[in-house]
Amino acid sequence: MFQSDGFRALEHQECLRLLAKVPVGRVVYTRQALPAVLPVNFSLDADSSVLLCTSRDSDLVRAIDGVVVAFEADEFHAEHRTGWSVVVTGRAAVVTDPAEHERLLRTGPDSWMPMRDGVFVRIEAGMVSGRELMGASVHGTV
């Protein structure tokens, strides 16, 4: 793997394994022609897509349904200067199939916010990339 300046590129499967370890990530999208970032809880589906559960009437659903977005999650340990970051880029879409919606009610993420009329949003894993910070010291040595 490529390594430079204390970072190591992560392979696809390693990225997915790390994503599955954390409950919160960030959706990166466009709102009123400006970049926007929103922290959300999520889960991964069997096809490696990112799943969110949110209100049908949310600003997020209106902004991302049918468009390409980025999703980022990470985990860092400041005291050891180690950690990782993974980015998934792909088309986001509200799950409209009733059978799929019922399956996700059993297996998908629960929203951490109280809501009525919850919907699931799937972000396809079109591109998955990540890197690991490998513990560089204050003076740049590992």
Side-chain angles (χ1 to χ4, degrees):
M1 295 276 26
F2 175 73
Q3 181 176 336
S4 174
D5 298 330
F7 286 98
R8 178 178 70 92
L10 300 173
E11 295 194 13
H12 183 86
Q13 285 305 113
E14 190 171 10
C15 288
L16 297 176
R17 181 185 65 76
L18 291 169
L19 275 179
K21 290 176 38 174
V22 296
V24 175
R26 288 161 286 293
V27 178
V28 182
Y29 62 103
T30 302
R31 182 175 61 211
Q32 299 176 350
L34 297 171
V37 179
L38 183 67
V40 294
N41 67 297
F42 75 101
S43 66
L44 289 181
D45 206 359
D47 66 354
S48 303
S49 60
V50 174
L51 294 169
L52 318 174
C53 182
T54 190
S55 171
R56 177 180 312 281
D57 298 323
S58 72
D59 291 339
L60 179 64
V61 167
R62 284 190 295 278
I64 71 172
D65 189 23
V67 301
V68 174
V69 300
F71 178 84
E72 188 270 344
D74 53 50
E75 184 176 73
F76 288 97
H77 306 283
E79 67 280 1
H80 297 112
R81 296 183 181 194
T82 61
W84 57 267
S85 176
V86 171
V87 176
V88 174
T89 305
R91 184 168 304 280
V94 172
V95 174
T96 57
D97 178 79
E100 182 72 356
H101 183 81
E102 286 300 314
R103 179 184 75 82
L104 294 176
L105 284 173
R106 293 186 307 279
T107 63
D110 291 322
S111 175
W112 289 3
M113 302 298 294
M115 75 174 76
R116 290 189 342 219
D117 298 328
V119 295
F120 292 98
V121 175
R122 174 183 308 282
I123 301 171
E124 298 172 356
M127 294 186 326
V128 178
S129 63
R131 56 190 214 161
E132 177 183 28
L133 176 60
M134 308 199 27
S137 74
V138 175
H139 301 291
T141 59
V142 177

